[in-house]
Amino acid sequence: MMKLSFLVLVIIYISQNVLTEHSTRLSRDIEDFVNLLDLAQITRLTNSYYLNDNDFQSMLEYLQSIEFSAVWNGFFNLTMIREVGLYLSHEGVPFYDYVDLVANFIGQPPLNRRVVQHLQKTKYRGVKTYVEEMFAVLPWREWHRLYDIKQANSVPFRALVNKLRRINYVELKQFYEDSKDFRSFVQILRSYGLDVDSFSQYLRKYLPWDHTGKTAGRFEIERNV
């Protein structure tokens, strides 16, 4: 089995080694959100599941599969994702460094085709419980408060928000409808007990697209595929 570094160490690596190499205002805005994470608690939680939980281990094995590679590559080949990646890169935010570190965590080839150092190894009561516990330790209120502050005071952050609001989410919906592997991925998430439909509620509440419904083609996942 591939050498797995747990995702929290990826976050630590990014915050300590990647963001600090890019000193633009927008990268510092994003680093402020990362700094609100309780990394020690997230590390303990992820380690526990990685070392002890069969569902968690099984899900990681699926993420290394050829089937998931089709979902991974298809998603990052979408025009809407490439445009955001280019925008963030031009603004000094190392978007593809983030993605490549996650790629190494789940066993997918890096988009930048660069070798990223693996960190260390690390699995407890199922994927559903892990996600619930992870969501419980994320600083949602602090992120929401910081988001409002950044919206009011940071021109680069407002520009990023406007960019995200203009994303063509119809393309993502079309990818879901056209990709058997993507639909299979959604069903696998459901098979682990994850409430996929509730994720969109979290996203609408905390992520900065147009909450009024004016954004064209909001992505909805059908239950029957």
Side-chain angles (χ1 to χ4, degrees), residues 70-86:
V71 178
W72 177 267
N73 293 325
F75 178 77
F76 285 104
N77 282 331
L78 293 175
T79 301
M80 56 177 276
I81 301 302
R82 291 202 306 270
E83 287 180 350
V84 171
L86 280 173

Side-chain angles (χ1 to χ4, degrees), residues 62-75 107-109 181:
Y62 165 73
L63 294 177
Q64 299 171 54
S65 69
I66 295 175
E67 181 182 359
F68 182 73
S69 290
V71 178
W72 177 267
N73 293 325
F75 178 77
Q108 294 297 330
D181 292 314

Side-chain angles (χ1 to χ4, degrees), residues 189-202:
L189 293 179
R190 286 190 174 123
S191 74
Y192 282 105
L194 298 181
D195 186 358
V196 178
D197 306 289
S198 70
F199 292 161
S200 62
Q201 298 175 11
Y202 280 105

Side-chain angles (χ1 to χ4, degrees), residues 20-220:
T20 54
E21 295 174 2
H22 301 76
S23 58
T24 67
R25 174 66 184 272
L26 182 57
S27 67
R28 291 195 298 271
D29 286 338
I30 292 174
E31 188 174 6
D32 287 341
F33 285 90
V34 174
N35 288 338
L36 289 172
L37 292 168
D38 186 341
L39 295 176
Q41 185 175 2
I42 294 173
T43 297
R44 288 192 298 270
L45 176 64
T46 305
N47 258 330
S48 177
Y49 275 83
Y50 179 59
L51 292 171
N52 299 291
D53 189 77
N54 290 332
D55 275 359
F56 196 90
Q57 296 165 5
S58 175
M59 186 66 186
L60 288 177
E61 289 176 1
Y62 165 73
L63 294 177
Q64 299 171 54
S65 69
I66 295 175
E67 181 182 359
F68 182 73
S69 290
V71 178
W72 177 267
N73 293 325
F75 178 77
F76 285 104
N77 282 331
L78 293 175
T79 301
M80 56 177 276
I81 301 302
R82 291 202 306 270
E83 287 180 350
V84 171
L86 280 173
Y87 174 81
L88 291 172
S89 297
H90 289 157
E91 291 296 316
V93 178
F95 174 76
Y96 287 105
D97 288 301
Y98 279 87
V99 176
D100 286 352
L101 286 167
V102 174
N104 276 271
F105 171 70
I106 64 174
Q108 294 297 330
L111 298 182
N112 277 350
R113 297 294 185 264
R114 67 180 64 172
V115 177
V116 181
Q117 180 183 4
H118 290 286
L119 299 176
Q120 191 89 16
K121 205 181 171 184
T122 33
K123 297 177 174 199
Y124 200 18
R125 289 175 323 194
V127 174
K128 179 177 184 290
T129 307
Y130 170 76
V131 171
E132 290 172 348
E133 292 185 27
M134 178 64 77
F135 268 53
V137 302
L138 293 178
W140 296 110
R141 281 185 189 170
E142 292 83 356
W143 275 345
H144 189 69
R145 190 179 304 117
L146 182 59
Y147 169 78
D148 290 339
I149 292 172
K150 296 295 183 184
Q151 272 283 73
N153 298 290
S154 173
V155 173
F157 188 80
R158 281 200 303 273
L160 172 62
V161 169
N162 290 334
K163 176 73 175 178
L164 293 176
R165 282 177 173 165
R166 292 195 298 269
I167 283 180
N168 180 14
Y169 291 101
V170 174
E171 185 183 14
L172 181 58
K173 182 178 181 181
Q174 192 64 49
F175 174 47
Y176 172 77
E177 292 174 349
D178 293 345
S179 172
K180 178 182 177 181
D181 292 314
F182 191 6
R183 296 196 303 274
S184 176
F185 170 59
V186 171
Q187 293 308 313
I188 286 172
L189 293 179
R190 286 190 174 123
S191 74
Y192 282 105
L194 298 181
D195 186 358
V196 178
D197 306 289
S198 70
F199 292 161
S200 62
Q201 298 175 11
Y202 280 105
L203 294 175
R204 289 188 197 124
K205 185 174 181 179
Y206 295 108
L207 291 183
W209 61 59
D210 191 341
H211 298 285
T212 65
K214 296 179 181 178
T215 301
R218 286 188 306 178
F219 180 48
E220 302 286 348

